[in-house]
Amino acid sequence: MAEALDHYGDGVWYDAEYVHIRGDVRYYAAVARGVGGALLELACGTGRLTIPMAQAGPTVVGVDSAPSMLAQARAKRAALAPPERARLSFQSGDMRAVRLGRRFDGVVLAFNTIMHMLTDDDLLAALRTARDHLAADGRFFMDLHTPRPDLLDRDPEARYDPQQMVDPRTGYRYIVTENNRYDARRQINTMRFYYQRVDLRGEAIGAERHTEVQLRVLFPREVDHWMDLAGFRIIEDWDDFERTQPFTGRGGRRVLVAGRR
Ligand SMILES: C[S@@+](CC[C@H](N)C(=O)[O-])C[C@H]1O[C@@H](n2cnc3c(N)ncnc32)[C@H](O)[C@@H]1O
């Protein structure tokens, strides 16, 4: 099989792939309205959340380490109305190490991104970056997958969750499927996303391509522990972005609000 492409190597593609995910966009826009002031989004990617947050009122800085993701974020920023554009900036940086020399009313680390921190040192470094940028009474907002045994025990050869996407540059339609191989000892989930171009009847055209990402699976009490070690206290803990269900660990998602301890 062909070598895996970089999952964050094409920001236009990323936006097209995740265009259907809306629950977190509504949630973080509401977060931004509530925080007011200044917000920092670590690992902001293409600005999928950063831009709606800036449109909700506060000034927002987005930091990411992937050039193509930042290029797409900057292209979308350039198309905004001048007042929104003025409230928003993007910069290149590694969330384990970046120090902007200022504090924010809110810091966001969204969409499972903490799970990219595969080692304990990296995980703690990223959480400390968030804390070091938070004002004394500021709030840290993070969401991530919480492990569901049925998802981890998937057949590594099978394909799951078919979705459609369209590359806006070509108009070509793709069927996206995924699978995962879970190393239970290391708690690393290797996810592959497969992209098959199809015609209007759904027949395959050309070769399939795929990307691969490794995610560290974090069980609830581990997250409690790392948050505490990084100097956070958890203030709100939910199963969902609608904040209807306090965190049970069964819902597949954890939506956290924390402050400095
Ligand atoms: C799942 S995407 C989330 C992007 C965006 N927050 C969103 O919700 O669409 C993860 C992002 O983390 C970025 N990333 C991964 N490791 C990073 C690091 N060490 N420092 C900064 N960004 C990083 C990737 O480039 C990618 O844009």
Side-chain angles (χ1 to χ4, degrees):
M1 175 169 294
E3 197 187 329
L5 299 165
D6 176 3
H7 195 63
Y8 302 123
D10 182 345
V12 175
W13 187 278
Y14 175 93
D15 272 349
E17 182 171 357
Y18 294 110
V19 71
H20 58 280
I21 299 187
R22 301 300 303 164
D24 58 355
V25 179
R26 284 189 291 272
Y27 170 73
Y28 284 108
V31 158
R33 266 192 297 280
V35 166
L39 266 171
L40 168 65
E41 187 187 3
L42 294 172
C44 64
T46 60
R48 190 181 68 85
L49 303 171
T50 338
I51 290 172
M53 288 196 290
Q55 288 172 323
T59 59
V60 188
V61 178
V63 172
D64 201 277
S65 58
S68 174
M69 300 292 271
L70 278 178
Q72 168 73 343
R74 289 183 172 129
K76 293 189 313 192
R77 177 183 177 274
L80 294 176
E84 293 171 353
R85 202 186 315 146
R87 288 201 295 274
L88 177 62
S89 61
F90 291 106
Q91 76 178 66
S92 176
D94 186 321
M95 67 173 164
R96 295 166 293 187
V98 71
R99 290 296 179 272
L100 301 179
R102 57 179 285 209
R103 298 261 170 111
F104 293 81
D105 303 298
V107 177
V108 169
L109 181 52
F111 203 19
N112 313 319
T113 304
I114 191 63
M115 298 169 73
H116 284 309
M117 300 293 100
L118 302 184
T119 68
D120 292 355
D121 285 351
D122 285 352
L123 182 66
L124 195 54
L127 290 177
R128 286 197 168 135
T129 298
R131 188 182 182 280
D132 286 352
H133 287 90
L134 207 57
D137 57 351
R139 291 288 175 264
F140 174 47
F141 303 89
M142 182 169 79
D143 76 275
L144 72 159
H145 278 301
T146 201
R148 264 180 40 194
D150 57 318
L151 295 184
L152 295 177
D153 269 349
R154 281 172 161 183
D155 174 358
E157 303 307 326
R159 299 291 185 89
Y160 296 89
D161 297 341
Q163 311 265 1
Q164 284 194 46
M165 66 170 274
V166 175
D167 184 337
R169 295 164 295 199
T170 58
Y172 294 162
R173 209 158 61 92
Y174 294 82
I175 300 295
V176 186
T177 50
E178 62 182 62
N179 70 5
N180 60 275
R181 195 174 295 272
Y182 180 51
D183 180 337
R185 177 65 188 87
R186 296 171 60 234
Q187 292 184 212
I188 301 291
N189 192 15
T190 302
M191 299 197 68
R192 274 198 179 182
F193 299 90
Y194 297 87
Y195 307 90
Q196 176 63 61
R197 187 180 157 204
V198 292
D199 64 17
L200 289 175
R201 289 163 307 163
E203 302 288 339
I205 304 174
E208 190 176 53
R209 51 176 279 195
H210 71 272
T211 64
E212 191 171 285
V213 283
Q214 289 201 314
L215 296 172
R216 174 180 178 150
V217 170
L218 287 162
F219 287 86
R221 288 177 64 176
E222 293 177 89
V223 176
D224 297 346
H225 168 73
W226 290 114
M227 290 289 283
D228 185 52
L229 211 60
F232 286 116
R233 71 190 159 87
I234 294 173
I235 297 166
E236 292 182 36
D237 205 354
W238 302 99
D239 261 359
D240 55 5
F241 288 114
E242 290 70 36
R243 289 170 278 188
T244 53
Q245 177 61 55
F247 182 60
T248 62
R250 292 174 181 278
R253 180 141 304 278
R254 187 170 190 183
V255 180
L256 283 167
V257 183
R260 287 167 71 107
R261 199 157 37 75

